[in-house]
Amino acid sequence: MQGIGIVLFTLGGKNLKRALRGLTDVLDKTVVVNDGKDTKLGVSEEKKIKKFINTVYEKYPSACYNIGVRELLKDDSVEHIFIINDSIEILDDTLFQDYIDVHKKTKLKALYYCTDDDDPMGKFNNVRLTVDLGDNELTLNMGTSGSLVYLHKDVFRKCGFFDERYRAAVEWSDFSYRLSQQNLSTPFLWFPHVKSVNDKLIVSDNNVMYEESMEDRIIRGMKLFYMKYKCQIQDLINTYSKKDVISKLKNKSRTS
């Protein structure tokens, strides 16, 4: 696969080993950013990785994503960027091509891995709309964890980088909102997920976490989001109807 670059965000531990195992054939395209305690890799493994940045301790994911993406963008040949956290183990790396193919067909420059667990309403009913692409299927979802995301490199030129004030909560909502404002992907809170990738990965629980509680991080993130945009995320859920979204997708797919 030409033109791809991968940022693997990790806190170290067993999950990193597992995540790297799934990237065996694309390690030379992978920048690993470790925000946990010092981690040692095997000599042969570390030599294969594009770059291993170890450690940037407690800068939080948003800053780590920026570090990894900036490293990838030094290479002009990188066009398609994947950001993965270490809960994801890739079983079949053709999923990267699946994302690229859907990007080319839909002209969407951001695609997200979504599950029912990501439903922000807590009802495990995340899918809002299903779109038949012929050789694939797109679902549009209310929430995403940001554990695996495809981004075309253009999004960083047009929207900048992640807001590093977020602390492992709400950073993806913020970034996705900015993308939607620039019409680079689907409307906000209609996260596009490529269905064919479901059987090509597994998700594990993180065995290492930040000391600051998730609740505190979410509260901080929600306050920051409101300060920036003068609205709460839940206020934006019904901004667009299914009809609006379908129309936007059709218009986007017709444009070059």
Side-chain angles (χ1 to χ4, degrees):
M1 284 171 284
Q2 298 298 314
I4 79 164
I6 299 163
V7 176
L8 174 59
F9 167 75
T10 183
L11 293 177
K14 294 179 181 178
N15 274 34
L16 174 57
K17 299 286 187 182
R18 191 162 47 232
L20 288 174
R21 182 174 62 200
L23 297 171
T24 298
D25 294 332
V26 287
L27 287 176
D28 61 329
K29 305 177 188 301
T30 302
V31 175
V32 179
V33 187
N34 176 25
D35 200 29
K37 294 180 180 178
D38 190 52
T39 298
K40 302 296 182 186
L41 298 179
V43 175
S44 62
E45 193 173 45
E46 190 165 352
K47 282 184 177 179
K48 292 178 183 177
I49 293 171
K50 186 177 183 75
K51 190 160 188 177
F52 183 36
I53 302 171
N54 180 34
T55 80
V56 292
Y57 197 50
E58 289 201 351
K59 286 186 177 293
Y60 299 99
S62 51
C64 293
Y65 300 154
N66 288 342
I67 290 168
V69 170
R70 286 189 173 104
E71 189 64 36
L72 289 176
L73 291 177
K74 292 177 182 178
D75 182 348
D76 291 338
S77 70
V78 172
E79 181 179 2
H80 309 288
I81 293 175
F82 296 86
I83 298 180
I84 305 175
N85 74 36
D86 64 8
S87 67
I88 299 289
E89 181 180 354
I90 306 297
L91 301 177
D92 180 349
D93 62 19
T94 61
L95 70 76
F96 296 120
Q97 191 61 51
D98 289 351
Y99 279 111
I100 294 168
D101 290 344
V102 170
H103 149 69
K104 289 180 178 178
K105 191 165 192 174
T106 63
K107 306 301 188 294
L108 298 176
K109 296 196 174 184
L111 299 163
Y112 306 79
Y113 175 68
C114 302
T115 68
D116 281 342
D117 289 347
D118 298 322
D119 176 9
M121 310 304 287
K123 298 179 180 179
F124 301 98
N125 185 24
N126 201 21
V127 177
R128 307 183 74 178
L129 179 65
T130 300
V131 180
D132 185 357
L133 299 177
D135 55 353
N136 213 320
E137 201 169 75
L138 198 70
T139 63
L140 289 98
N141 303 265
M142 195 178 301
T144 179
S145 68
S147 57
L148 167 58
V149 178
Y150 162 81
L151 298 167
H152 190 275
K153 69 176 182 180
D154 283 353
V155 303
F156 299 102
R157 178 174 57 84
K158 294 180 179 180
C159 287
F161 292 82
F162 291 87
D163 188 331
E164 297 184 9
R165 292 174 291 179
Y166 290 100
R167 294 185 175 182
V170 193
E171 64 272 355
W172 276 110
S173 293
D174 179 280
F175 194 67
S176 300
Y177 183 66
R178 287 155 51 202
L179 294 181
S180 70
Q181 294 296 93
Q182 294 291 327
N183 197 33
L184 293 168
S185 189
T186 43
F188 184 56
L189 298 176
W190 295 83
F191 294 101
H193 163 77
V194 178
K195 194 171 181 181
S196 63
V197 309
N198 290 353
D199 298 326
K200 298 182 179 183
L201 57 81
I202 55 175
V203 184
S204 304
D205 290 332
N206 283 318
N207 62 327
V208 182
M209 299 295 288
Y210 288 105
E211 291 183 6
E212 186 180 8
S213 75
M214 175 60 82
E215 183 179 1
D216 289 341
R217 286 183 270 131
I218 290 174
I219 291 171
R220 174 189 171 89
M222 296 294 284
K223 286 181 176 178
L224 178 55
F225 190 94
Y226 183 80
M227 180 185 75
K228 291 179 67 175
Y229 306 114
K230 300 299 182 280
C231 63
Q232 301 288 359
I233 292 172
Q234 59 266 31
D235 296 336
L236 301 169
I237 288 175
N238 296 316
T239 302
Y240 293 96
S241 68
K242 288 183 180 180
K243 186 176 179 180
D244 294 332
V245 174
I246 291 169
S247 177
K248 283 179 175 290
L249 282 171
K250 286 180 177 178
N251 289 337
K252 197 159 193 62
S253 66
R254 294 190 192 107
T255 62
S256 58

